[in-house]
């Protein structure tokens, strides 16, 4: 049991959720406001993707990240920013029978340095490092993060003084994370996000979760989440399993059946659950101390 836990709010993500709920933030102004809203509801960390303001499509434009970060910092709300570095590893095959050439419209594959342009410029306290390659539910899409790319990214993140949040979608990803740590590419304390229930990674059942937590090295700090209707149950499960909590519209757009959620709603519900379990909700300052983060503003 983790009696002192923090909440991360993943405010928008890169999926098509903005087509299903008008509460999903799209523009930099909306995304920054969502970070502030989440912090006001009890989140210590805001996990940030950006979207094309005109179409809502996922983007990795540094100018959009720049605006989001500036708006949050200018607001004065104390929240730890966690910028994704997961964009740029997308491969979509041509088809099952003719995989090459790749589908140019869906493929977005760039190098390690380009994936970190916004991180090295803006120097958030945390950025993500997706520690593995995997299939998703789409027929011909592969999320691609090779060991070579991850080593190159980890070196640059370490040199920038940013804390990587290692995103783990399955047990082999945790093995790769241990390898990077053993190679000296990730500093203590190690921060992990367990991403459960995403096809076709680790299922969100207790056996899969236990396999991951039982293989977590001592001293590593970890959070976890699941998607859809299992997001809020996992907020309770997370602390029972010794971890911390992630909620937000990246992973779930409903507060309950038929009731669209805002990011603030989801954080508030999670905070209420934790309080009812007598769990102390950590502040951004306490999280910084625990994770040895560098606050630059």
């Amino acid at each position: 049991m983790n009696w002192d836990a923090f909440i991360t709010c993943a405010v928008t993500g890169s999926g098509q959720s903005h087509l299903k709920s008008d509460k999903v933030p799209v523009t930099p102004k909306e995304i920054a406001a969502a970070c502030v809203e989440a912090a006001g509801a009890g989140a210590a960390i805001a996990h940030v993707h950006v979207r094309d303001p005109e179409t809502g499509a996922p983007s990795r434009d540094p100018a959009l990240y720049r605006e989001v970060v500036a708006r949050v910092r200018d607001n004065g709300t104390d929240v730890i920013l966690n910028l994704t570095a997961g964009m740029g590893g997308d491969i979509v095959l041509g088809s099952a029978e003719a995989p090459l050439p790749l589908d140019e419209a869906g493929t977005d594959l760039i190098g390690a340095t380009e994936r970190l342009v916004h991180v090295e410029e803006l120097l958030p306290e945390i950025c993500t490092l997706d520690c593995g390659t995997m299939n998703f539910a789409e027929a011909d899409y592969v999320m691609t993060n090779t060991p070579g790319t991850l080593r190159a990214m980890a070196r640059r993140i370490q040199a920038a003084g940013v804390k990587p949040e290692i995103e783990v979608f399955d047990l082999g990803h945790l093995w790769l994370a241990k390898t990077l740590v053993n190679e000296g590419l990730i500093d203590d304390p190690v921060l992990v996000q367990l991403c459960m229930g995403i096809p076709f990674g680790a299922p969100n059942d207790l056996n899969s979760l236990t396999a991951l937590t039982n293989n977590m090295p001592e001293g590593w700090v970890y959070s976890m989440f699941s998607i859809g209707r299992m997001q809020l149950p996992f907020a309770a499960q997370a602390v029972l399993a010794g971890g911390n909590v992630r909620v937000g519209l990246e992973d779930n757009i409903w507060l309950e059946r038929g009731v669209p959620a805002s990011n603030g709603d989801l954080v508030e519900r999670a905070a209420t659950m934790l309080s009812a379990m007598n769990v102390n909700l950590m502040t951004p300052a306490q999280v910084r101390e625990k994770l040895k983060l560098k606050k630059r503003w």
Side-chain angles (χ1 to χ4, degrees), residues 106-123:
T107 296
D108 179 31
L109 192 63
I110 57 175
T113 298
E114 190 173 354
R115 287 177 70 167
L116 292 169
V117 166
H118 61 299
V119 173
E120 293 180 313
E121 175 190 343
L122 300 171
L123 297 177

Side-chain angles (χ1 to χ4, degrees), residues 27-292:
T27 68
K29 182 178 180 180
E30 292 169 347
I31 294 169
C35 294
V36 172
E37 176 193 24
I45 302 173
H47 173 54
V48 176
H49 289 250
V50 293
R51 296 174 178 268
D52 183 312
E54 300 298 325
T55 67
S59 176
R60 49 182 174 79
D61 183 349
L64 298 176
Y65 282 105
R66 193 178 302 126
E67 183 177 348
V68 171
V69 170
R71 286 180 176 276
V72 174
R73 290 175 174 173
D74 289 347
N75 177 272
T77 296
D78 190 14
V79 62
I80 297 165
L81 290 179
N82 173 355
L83 303 186
T84 185
M87 303 293 292
D90 300 332
I91 290 178
V92 180
L93 304 182
S95 69
E97 296 296 338
L100 296 177
L102 299 176
D103 181 327
E104 292 186 6
T107 296
D108 179 31
L109 192 63
I110 57 175
T113 298
E114 190 173 354
R115 287 177 70 167
L116 292 169
V117 166
H118 61 299
V119 173
E120 293 180 313
E121 175 190 343
L122 300 171
L123 297 177
E125 295 179 66
I126 302 173
C127 73
T128 60
L129 187 66
D130 294 355
C131 231
T133 295
M134 68 174 284
N135 297 317
F136 273 70
E138 293 88 345
D140 297 307
Y141 167 70
V142 182
M143 179 183 77
T144 309
N145 296 286
T146 66
T149 296
L150 291 170
R151 285 187 174 98
M153 292 179 69
R155 288 189 187 96
R156 299 190 74 92
I157 293 168
Q158 187 179 54
V162 175
K163 171 69 67 178
E165 179 193 67
I166 301 168
E167 296 212 343
V168 167
F169 295 80
D170 215 341
L171 195 55
H173 300 182
L174 189 59
W175 184 2
L176 180 49
K178 292 178 185 178
T179 300
L180 297 179
V181 172
N182 290 338
E183 291 175 355
L185 298 175
I186 296 175
D187 300 324
D188 289 331
V190 178
L191 175 62
V192 174
Q193 184 70 250
L194 299 178
C195 310
M196 309 294 294
I198 298 172
F200 294 101
N204 56 12
D205 59 72
L206 290 179
N207 286 339
S208 299
L209 178 60
T210 301
L212 286 162
T213 56
N214 282 351
N215 281 278
M216 193 74 62
E218 185 177 356
W220 287 24
V221 179
Y222 55 97
S223 295
M224 65 187 70
F225 71 91
S226 188
I227 59 176
R229 67 183 298 182
M230 290 300 291
Q231 182 182 83
L232 288 170
F234 252 73
Q237 181 59 51
V239 293
L240 290 170
N244 299 279
V245 173
R246 168 170 145 173
V247 293
L249 294 179
E250 175 172 354
D251 309 313
N252 165 48
I253 61 173
W254 303 104
L255 186 63
E256 55 190 74
R257 184 182 293 273
V259 180
S262 70
N263 283 293
D265 291 335
L266 293 170
V267 174
E268 183 178 4
R269 180 67 61 85
T272 298
M273 292 168 59
L274 296 183
S275 177
M277 298 168 71
N278 294 321
V279 173
N280 175 55
L281 200 61
M282 297 179 70
T283 66
Q286 290 170 326
V287 175
R288 287 189 186 94
E289 183 177 0
K290 183 179 183 69
L291 297 179
K292 299 181 181 178

